């Protein structure tokens, strides 16, 4: 049964959630301050802006801060005359790092959660044919996911355990692991197997085999939880136990005793038996047997007392044979333990000291499941819980009810260890309170844990409906990893989380992804492909267009006009494609030759060999859209015009020029440009170039219709033409600065109106010339 | 990361990061604008260019969305807004890498704040100054960025404040593409939400109440993953306020701070659309506004508020010389998570 929370203070908020990093060590490893002061008003940790902040005045300072899209680089500034510096600060969610290990861990646990598929949703079948097998499969899948997640966490911990810069992180993750191990044994293994065993009695049914398997998994999990959580008794302590008795003489031991045995009579000390019993209670049987072997007790008893020696050998056999995999065998095992206890305690032929006899008897009491003895030798509450389950009555239900109560009465919970508090909560059926504790240590672990708890049906639907805590945690994690803009590897996970979160509606998913994905820091073509595939999947047409426009502008900024146009075209911005096509057209006319752009010229050329282009057709097709082919066609005509001029085919070239001048969509200022830069110098000013009457009439008609001396763009472009002509002439004539200022382009009138008159006059001449020839 | 000298000879009045977070523009009372770029190797801000942008203090600077190119807008106490374009071929540090494309001189008072609209609204820019008029400009032809048209003027304040009095003006656009065009405008101690109506005009659809002093800063949160909006304000009365804004039906508009635009127009005589020749009779769906959080932790004037990219963390700075970072719980309670102090 899921637990409830008591106040919002207990939920999903930990004041040291994020770290503000204002410095980094020589290796670039970001380290948090070790001496953190707390803010009196909020209890939040206070971090200094800079070690060099002494110059900042203390009173009434106008300090401002703006958050950056990239979390790691933002500045604090002061609107104060005395502070001229900007202070960079980094705001990071402490548990999200850039290490490969972390990315791998998050990726793996996401895959685990993702592969749950439909099992991410917990359903209680209320009507129709209720298929028990389906429920079992669901439980099995969710349980397996939890087990796999714990394994991944262990692997991640293993990777960082020797990294001295990540000691804090190591302990945080170890805390997470302890909580997860407890959560798993309490809710992700047994699944009603106790009820099954009652129902089925002693039948060796399929259920019982399954239950026995679960029992083994449970016991292994229980032992792992207890022993990994505090790492006690550690090797040093064991050495201390043996070392403490080294000063004792060796003369009493038989000559063939092992070295350890000769060290001392360690088995006569109280601390030795405490250790042995503690190891047994913790389920560390092989370690307990190892300590007995090392102590020389077996040899000593063999020499001193047959009954005790046999009893010890029986204890060792029982421990070796502990039936973790069978409940029915456990009953027999326990009967044997009780029988051994009875025989030993009733036996009068024991010839060893009273203390040693009592110690052996206590060990026998423990393995026979004596409640008081288990409590007596347990140093911690969780030890006795383990001991009760192993030797008293192996019942999950009793852990939740009686064992926990007995244990914490004898050994109180250390509230400093949050894993202990969380474990107690779990045993009391409270799931919600562990989530903020996990969140404090690792956002990824807490988010996926909440998802698995929901999938297992551990969270109360009413509370979820009201507060949406799992939803909040999963989405928050997704947003956090996206906030870390410089870590794009985690973005697919964020999107996956939003998509797979069973609490999100499709509308919500689409809106959220649409808002989020536009911030994806793409760099490579692969990034872009992924980004656009997301847009396609969620039909985010506007976002895709926006991305193409961004790309187009980036390309334009880098000078790749054709690439830029392709992106504008894909972004649906036809106006921009048109604009840049005309810009290329204009640039080419202004320099009176084709642009030096092999790609562009290959696109518009009929014969690529003429321009030495070896760009394959298929690549060209990818670089050009249909819109571009259309909008670049005026440049294509111009390009051919220049080719014909080059080949001195002036009549054919003129035909193309007339096509351009007559083009109905030609912006009118380009009529001025074409006339002034091409028609005028090549044909009108050169008496040797003949222009047919028909062509002249067309020109006169177009000029009559389209030429606008008052059009601002026409005026600007004409001024530009004459300025450039003048510049060319100046360079040619090697004029000094004063001469340049006083001169005007010799062949061009100073105004557009005068130029129009000049053009008309020359056209008339050409017409007369044509008649005279006739 | 160590502090670095901005190089400004007077107060730094505003900073702005580009979309990718790799360029930082600063503006100052020294009339200059500086652009820094983030060095990929050293992760340090390196000066790219600096130039004199205005004839008086430059008070606000903003980057355009990247789909419109590399543009900066600056606003100044000289009453003008200038649009600048980066020339990628311009030499860095030459003072000529940024070319002025346009100067907008419509304000009759010193300008205080400008911000480009979110990109889905087009190439649009809003400004507010101490003449109390909200102006919105559009580049109707994005291929010609030299032409900006004043498309909307809204008189937010009936009478501009006296020059000798302290004043504050700021604005912030609603960034979501899934809501109508909206922006929060603060003049003196008044915070209003404007929304583009069906008739294409801006209407005052809600008021953020409770301010007891000049509103120094306003920030509209990115609403990623939320079906409601959040707006934060920083006020001279010492409080950081977070408002929750939800769509409201007309029937619910009499509650709290929301009202229909027609009601607002009648009630709030100070808010008039200048280019509105016809009487306003359109009933736009108004917004439901509720205050989520109010925090006086700075113990004095609050100078700035700003949200992170996902709208999950709010930062505030105040007279106590501290940056406070706020994060919400699942139940929308905001708690201070971290404090950065300027005092050693």
């Amino acid at each position: 049964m899921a637990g409830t929370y008591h106040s919002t203070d207990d939920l999903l908020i930990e004041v040291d959630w994020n770290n503000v990093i204002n410095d980094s060590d020589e290796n670039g490893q970001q380290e948090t301050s070790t001496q953190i002061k707390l803010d009196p008003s909020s209890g939040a940790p206070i971090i200094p802006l800079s070690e060099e902040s002494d110059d900042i005045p203390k009173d009434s300072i106008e300090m401002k801060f703006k958050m950056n899209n990239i979390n790691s680089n933002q500045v604090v500034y002061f609107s104060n005359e005395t502070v001229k510096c900007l202070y960079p600060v980094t705001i990071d969610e402490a548990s999200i790092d850039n290490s490969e290990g972390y990315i791998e861990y998050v990726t793996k646990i996401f895959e685990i959660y993702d592969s749950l598929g439909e099992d991410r949703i917990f359903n209680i079948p209320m009507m129709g044919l209720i298929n028990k097998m389906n429920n079992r499969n669901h439980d099995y899948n969710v349980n397996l996911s939890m087990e796999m997640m714990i394994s991944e966490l262990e692997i991640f911990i293993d990777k960082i355990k020797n990294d001295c810069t990540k000691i804090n992180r190591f302990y945080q993750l170890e805390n997470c692991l302890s909580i997860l191990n407890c959560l798993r044994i309490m809710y992700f293994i047994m699944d009603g197997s106790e009820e099954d065993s009652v129902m089925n009695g002693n039948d060796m049914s399929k259920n019982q085999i399954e239950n026995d398997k679960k029992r083994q998994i449970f016991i292994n999990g229980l032992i792992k939880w207890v022993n990994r959580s505090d790492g006690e008794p550690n090797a040093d302590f064991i050495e201390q136990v043996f070392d403490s008795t080294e000063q004792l003489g060796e003369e009493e031991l038989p000559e063939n005793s092992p070295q350890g045995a000769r060290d001392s009579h360690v088995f006569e000390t109280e601390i030795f038996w405490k250790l042995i019993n503690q190891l047994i209670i913790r389920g560390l049987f092989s370690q307990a047997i190892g300590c007995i072997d090392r102590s020389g007790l077996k040899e000593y008893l063999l020499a001193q007392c047959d009954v005790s020696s046999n009893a010890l050998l029986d204890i060792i056999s029982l421990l070796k044979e502990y039936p973790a995999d069978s409940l029915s065998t456990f009953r027999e095992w326990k009967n044997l333990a009780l029988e051994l206890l009875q025989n030993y305690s009733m036996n009068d032929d024991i010839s060893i000291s009273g203390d040693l006899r009592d110690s052996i008897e206590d060990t026998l009491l423990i393995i026979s499941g004596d409640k008081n003895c288990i409590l007596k030798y347990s140093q911690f509450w969780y030890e006795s819980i383990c001991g009760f389950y192993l030797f008293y009555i192996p019942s999950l239900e009793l852990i939740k009810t009686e064992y926990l109560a007995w244990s914490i009465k004898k050994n109180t919970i250390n509230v400093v260890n949050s894993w202990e508090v969380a474990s107690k909560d779990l045993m009391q059926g409270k799931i919600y309170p562990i989530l903020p504790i996990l969140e404090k240590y690792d956002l990824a672990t807490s988010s996926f844990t909440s998802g698995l708890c929901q999938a297992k049906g551990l969270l109360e639907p009413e509370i979820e409906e009201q507060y949406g805590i799992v939803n909040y945690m999963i989405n928050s994690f997704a947003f956090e990893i996206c906030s870390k803009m410089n870590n794009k590897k985690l973005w697919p996970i964020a999107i996956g989380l939003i998509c797979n979160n069973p609490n999100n509606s499709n509308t919500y998913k689409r809106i959220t992804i649409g808002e989020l994905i536009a911030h994806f820091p793409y760099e490579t073509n692969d990034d872009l492909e992924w980004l656009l595939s997301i847009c396609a999947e969620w039909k985010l047409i506007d976002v895709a267009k926006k991305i193409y426009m961004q790309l187009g502008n980036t390309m334009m900024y880098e000078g790749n006009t054709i690439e830029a146009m392709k992106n504008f075209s894909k972004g649906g911005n036809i106006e921009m494609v048109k604009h840049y096509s005309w810009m290329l057209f204009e640039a080419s006319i202004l320099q009176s030759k084709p642009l030096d752009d092999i790609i562009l010229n290959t696109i518009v050329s009929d014969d690529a060999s003429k321009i030495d282009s070896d760009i394959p057709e298929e690549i060209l097709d990818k670089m050009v859209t249909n819109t571009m082919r259309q909008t670049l066609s005026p440049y294509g005509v111009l390009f051919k015009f220049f080719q014909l001029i080059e080949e001195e085919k002036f009549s054919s070239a003129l035909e193309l020029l007339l096509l351009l001048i007559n083009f109905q969509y030609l912006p009118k200022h380009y009529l001025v440009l074409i006339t002034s830069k091409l028609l005028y110098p090549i044909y009108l000013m050169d008496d040797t170039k003949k222009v047919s009457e028909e062509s002249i009439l067309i020109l006169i008609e177009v000029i009559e219709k389209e030429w606008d001396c008052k059009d601002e763009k026409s005026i600007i472009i004409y001024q530009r033409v004459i300025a450039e002509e003048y510049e060319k002439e100046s360079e040619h004539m090697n004029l000094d600065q004063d001469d340049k200022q006083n001169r005007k382009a010799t062949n061009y009138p100073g105004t557009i109106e005068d130029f129009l008159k000049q053009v008309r006059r020359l056209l008339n001449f050409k017409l007369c010339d044509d008649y005279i020839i006739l | 990361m160590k502090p670095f000298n901005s190089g400004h000879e007077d107060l730094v009045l505003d900073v702005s990061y580009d979309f990718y977070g790799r360029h930082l523009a600063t503006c100052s009372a020294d009339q200059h604008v500086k652009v820094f770029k983030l060095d990929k190797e050293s992760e340090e801000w390196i000066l790219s260019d600096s130039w004199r942008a205005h004839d008086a203090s430059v008070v606000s600077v903003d980057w355009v969305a990247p789909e419109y190119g590399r543009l900066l807008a600056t606003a100044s106490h000289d009453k003008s807004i200038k649009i600048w374009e980066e020339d990628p071929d311009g030499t860095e540090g030459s003072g000529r890498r940024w070319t002025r494309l346009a100067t907008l001189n419509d304000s009759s008072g010193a300008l205080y704040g400008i911000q480009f609209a979110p990109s889905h609204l087009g190439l649009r820019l809003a400004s507010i100054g101490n003449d109390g008029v909200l102006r919105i400009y559009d580049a109707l032809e994005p291929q010609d960025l030299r032409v900006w048209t004043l498309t909307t003027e809204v008189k937010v304040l009936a009478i501009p404040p006296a020059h000798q009095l302290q004043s504050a003006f700021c604005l912030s656009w609603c960034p979501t593409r899934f809501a109508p065009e909206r922006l929060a405008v603060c003049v003196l101690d008044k915070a209003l939400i404007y929304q583009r109506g069906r008739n294409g005009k801006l209407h005052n659809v809600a008021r953020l109440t409770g301010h007891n002093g000049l509103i120094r800063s306003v920030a509209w949160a990115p609403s990623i993953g939320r079906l409601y909006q959040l707006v934060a304000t920083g006020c001279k009365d010492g409080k950081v306020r977070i408002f929750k804004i939800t769509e409201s039906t007309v029937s619910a508009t009499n509650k709290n701070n929301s009202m229909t635009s027609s009601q607002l127009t009648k009630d709030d005589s100070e808010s008039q659309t200048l280019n509105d020749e016809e009487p306003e009779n359109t009933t736009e769906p108004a917004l439901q506004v509720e205050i989520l959080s109010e925090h006086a932790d700075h113990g004095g004037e609050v100078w700035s508020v700003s949200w992170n990219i996902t709208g999950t963390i709010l930062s505030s700075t105040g007279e106590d010389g501290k940056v406070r970072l706020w994060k919400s719980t699942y139940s929308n309670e905001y708690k201070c998570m971290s404090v950065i102090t300027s005092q050693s």
Side-chain angles (χ1 to χ4, degrees), chain A residues 15 63 69 79 90 472 515 553, chain B residues 1 12 67 176 317 328 337:
Chain A
V15 288
M63 178 191 192
N69 286 341
S79 292
T90 299
Y472 167 85
E515 296 268 13
N553 275 295
Chain B
M1 286 179 287
V12 177
E67 48 266 50
T176 180
T317 61
S328 94
M337 313 306 300

Side-chain angles (χ1 to χ4, degrees), chain A residues 543-728:
Chain A
V543 179
K545 282 183 178 175
K546 182 183 162 115
I547 289 157
Y548 279 122
M549 288 301 293
Q550 286 176 8
L551 269 176
N553 275 295
T554 307
M555 294 295 163
M556 196 54 82
Y557 187 71
E558 289 169 1
N560 300 324
T561 313
I562 296 296
E563 276 283 306
M565 286 169 67
K566 182 188 81 177
N567 286 301
F568 289 141
S569 176
K570 287 187 171 179
N573 196 329
I574 310 301
E575 285 305 312
M576 290 296 264
V577 184
K578 269 162 61 181
H579 171 71
Y580 284 107
S581 298
W582 284 121
M583 293 302 285
L584 294 171
F585 179 81
E586 180 183 309
S588 177
I589 298 177
L590 280 169
Q591 66 178 39
S592 302
K593 59 179 184 180
L595 294 175
D596 187 19
D597 187 327
I598 191 83
I599 300 168
L600 173 65
N601 294 337
T602 312
I603 292 166
V604 297
S605 174
D606 290 336
D607 185 357
S609 64
K610 276 191 185 173
I611 51 167
D612 295 331
S613 169
D614 53 359
I615 303 170
E617 194 69 25
E618 56 273 23
I619 291 181
L620 213 56
D621 284 344
K622 281 186 184 171
M623 294 179 82
V624 190
T625 62
N626 288 337
T627 310
M628 281 170 73
R629 284 193 196 281
Q630 271 194 326
T631 57
L632 284 172
S633 58
Y635 176 78
V637 176
L638 188 67
F639 179 77
K640 277 181 202 155
F641 167 82
F642 286 126
Q643 278 186 328
L644 292 170
I645 293 288
E646 186 81 17
E647 293 162 14
E648 298 191 346
K649 294 176 181 169
F650 295 104
S651 300
S652 308
L654 183 61
E655 283 174 28
L656 293 179
L657 206 60
L658 288 172
L659 271 179
L660 283 175
I661 286 173
N662 232 348
F663 181 48
Q664 61 171 323
Y665 300 111
L666 184 80
K668 58 184 171 188
H669 60 289
Y670 287 146
L671 174 63
V672 177
L673 182 66
I674 293 169
T675 310
S676 57
K677 282 296 288 187
L678 304 176
L679 182 71
Y680 182 70
I682 299 172
Y683 293 96
L684 300 187
M685 287 186 61
D686 187 347
D687 295 338
T688 62
K689 307 270 170 53
K690 301 297 173 200
V691 183
S692 69
E693 183 195 350
E694 192 188 348
S695 303
I696 294 167
L697 290 175
I698 292 170
L699 283 167
I700 290 171
E701 193 185 337
V702 173
I703 287 170
E704 200 61 42
K705 220 163 99 184
E706 300 293 337
W707 194 287
D708 184 358
C709 288
K710 288 184 179 152
D711 175 52
E712 198 182 337
K713 284 184 179 173
S714 299
I715 297 167
I716 290 169
I717 209 147
Y718 180 70
Q719 291 301 325
R720 191 170 167 190
V721 169
I722 59 170
E724 283 182 11
E725 285 301 321
Y726 154 66
E727 193 68 31
K728 260 195 264 175

Side-chain angles (χ1 to χ4, degrees), chain A residues 337-382:
Chain A
L338 284 166
E339 214 173 291
L340 180 61
L341 171 68
Q342 202 172 10
N343 289 341
Y344 188 71
S345 50
M346 304 285 279
N347 202 312
D348 296 331
D349 295 334
I350 294 168
S351 54
I352 52 171
S353 69
D355 286 347
L356 190 55
R357 178 190 172 143
D358 288 348
S359 297
I360 293 170
E361 210 171 307
D362 278 353
T363 304
L364 276 168
L365 279 167
I366 285 169
I367 62 172
S368 318
D370 184 87
K371 176 188 157 189
N372 292 329
C373 211
I374 289 171
L375 285 172
K376 179 184 165 189
Y377 282 97
S378 295
Q379 279 186 40
F380 306 100
W381 63 276
Y382 42 87

Side-chain angles (χ1 to χ4, degrees), chain B residues 230-244:
Chain B
L230 293 173
V231 176
T233 58
C235 187
K236 199 182 175 191
D237 66 9
K239 288 186 178 162
V240 175
R241 292 181 176 84
I242 302 166
F243 296 90
K244 180 182 177 185

Side-chain angles (χ1 to χ4, degrees), chain B residues 50-291:
Chain B
S50 168
W51 68 99
R52 185 168 172 265
H54 287 268
D55 298 326
S57 296
V58 190
V59 289
S60 185
V61 60
D62 195 29
W63 293 85
V64 78
E67 48 266 50
Y68 298 112
R70 303 278 299 166
L71 298 184
L72 272 178
T74 54
S76 165
H77 281 341
D78 68 6
K79 306 176 188 174
S80 73
I81 296 167
K82 289 183 181 174
I83 310 290
W84 306 87
E85 185 176 38
E86 186 174 16
D87 172 11
D89 300 324
T91 315
E92 292 202 339
S94 64
R96 288 192 291 275
R97 196 172 160 86
W98 289 81
T99 318
R100 180 164 53 83
L101 291 180
T103 304
L104 315 173
N105 279 318
D106 301 287
S107 178
S108 59
L111 285 164
Y112 276 76
I114 44 156
Q115 196 182 24
F116 280 109
S119 61
H120 63 272
L121 297 175
L123 197 40
R124 181 167 288 177
L125 179 71
S127 73
I128 184 79
N130 79 350
D131 59 357
V133 179
L134 165 70
R135 291 184 178 82
I136 294 181
Y137 296 89
D138 283 272
L140 298 173
E141 287 182 66
Q143 60 271 25
D144 188 359
L145 300 170
R146 288 164 293 192
V147 183
W148 290 76
T149 310
L150 178 63
T151 49
T152 306
E153 270 190 299
V154 179
K155 197 165 187 182
V156 186
L157 204 59
I159 306 159
H163 289 289
Q164 67 273 20
L165 295 177
Q166 219 183 35
S167 53
F169 303 86
C170 46
L171 53 85
S172 181
W173 287 91
C174 166
T176 180
R177 63 171 57 245
F178 298 100
E181 178 182 343
R182 283 179 193 142
L183 75 167
V185 183
C186 301
V187 288
L188 307 180
D189 60 351
K190 201 184 298 289
L192 305 165
I193 306 287
Y194 284 90
Q195 179 173 309
R196 183 83 59 190
R198 292 187 199 98
N199 58 3
K201 289 170 186 169
L202 279 187
H203 303 287
N204 180 197
V205 286
R207 190 182 298 161
L208 312 179
T209 55
H211 298 97
N212 297 313
L214 297 175
I215 301 166
R216 294 290 186 192
S217 181
V218 60
W220 200 307
S223 62
I224 298 172
R226 277 196 301 263
L227 300 174
Y228 53 86
Q229 305 290 324
L230 293 173
V231 176
T233 58
C235 187
K236 199 182 175 191
D237 66 9
K239 288 186 178 162
V240 175
R241 292 181 176 84
I242 302 166
F243 296 90
K244 180 182 177 185
I245 297 170
T246 39
E247 306 290 338
S248 162
T249 55
V250 177
S251 60
T253 56
N254 289 325
K255 291 179 189 171
N256 299 335
N257 306 312
S258 64
M259 54 194 83
T260 63
S261 55
S262 54
Q263 280 173 310
L264 264 174
T265 314
K266 281 176 200 164
D267 295 349
D268 189 359
S269 58
E270 289 175 353
S271 180
Q272 300 163 22
T273 306
L274 294 183
N275 55 2
D276 219 353
E277 288 171 5
E278 296 165 18
E280 187 51 62
N281 56 6
T282 318
T283 305
E284 299 292 342
L287 301 173
Q288 189 80 29
V289 178
E290 60 178 292
I291 188 153

Side-chain angles (χ1 to χ4, degrees), chain A residues 126-138:
Chain A
M126 302 299 284
M127 54 195 293
L129 183 67
I130 297 168
N131 187 342
K132 204 173 178 184
M133 202 59 209
N134 279 351
N135 293 346
R136 282 192 180 174
N137 285 343
H138 171 84

Side-chain angles (χ1 to χ4, degrees), chain A residues 460-597:
Chain A
E460 289 166 62
E462 312 87 65
I463 292 177
E464 268 314 294
E465 208 164 295
Q466 191 179 352
Y467 297 103
I469 293 166
V470 176
N471 196 24
Y472 167 85
M473 292 192 78
I474 292 178
N475 288 341
S476 292
F477 177 60
F479 300 152
E480 285 306 333
I481 55 183
C482 291
S483 301
K484 220 173 161 59
M485 290 270 289
N486 46 359
N487 195 343
K488 62 181 180 181
K489 289 179 185 170
L490 292 173
W491 272 71
I493 291 169
I495 301 297
L497 277 172
I498 293 164
C499 294
N500 292 342
N501 184 346
N503 308 295
N504 291 343
S505 69
N506 276 343
T507 312
Y508 176 91
K509 287 174 191 173
R510 186 170 175 273
I511 291 176
T512 307
I513 293 168
E515 296 268 13
L516 205 54
I517 203 77
H519 296 279
F520 176 64
Y522 56 87
E523 284 173 329
T524 64
N525 281 340
D526 287 348
D527 293 344
L528 199 62
E529 270 180 36
W530 176 78
L531 181 55
L532 293 171
S533 71
I534 297 292
C535 292
E537 189 182 337
W538 289 94
K539 296 183 175 61
L540 298 164
I541 298 159
D542 286 345
V543 179
K545 282 183 178 175
K546 182 183 162 115
I547 289 157
Y548 279 122
M549 288 301 293
Q550 286 176 8
L551 269 176
N553 275 295
T554 307
M555 294 295 163
M556 196 54 82
Y557 187 71
E558 289 169 1
N560 300 324
T561 313
I562 296 296
E563 276 283 306
M565 286 169 67
K566 182 188 81 177
N567 286 301
F568 289 141
S569 176
K570 287 187 171 179
N573 196 329
I574 310 301
E575 285 305 312
M576 290 296 264
V577 184
K578 269 162 61 181
H579 171 71
Y580 284 107
S581 298
W582 284 121
M583 293 302 285
L584 294 171
F585 179 81
E586 180 183 309
S588 177
I589 298 177
L590 280 169
Q591 66 178 39
S592 302
K593 59 179 184 180
L595 294 175
D596 187 19
D597 187 327

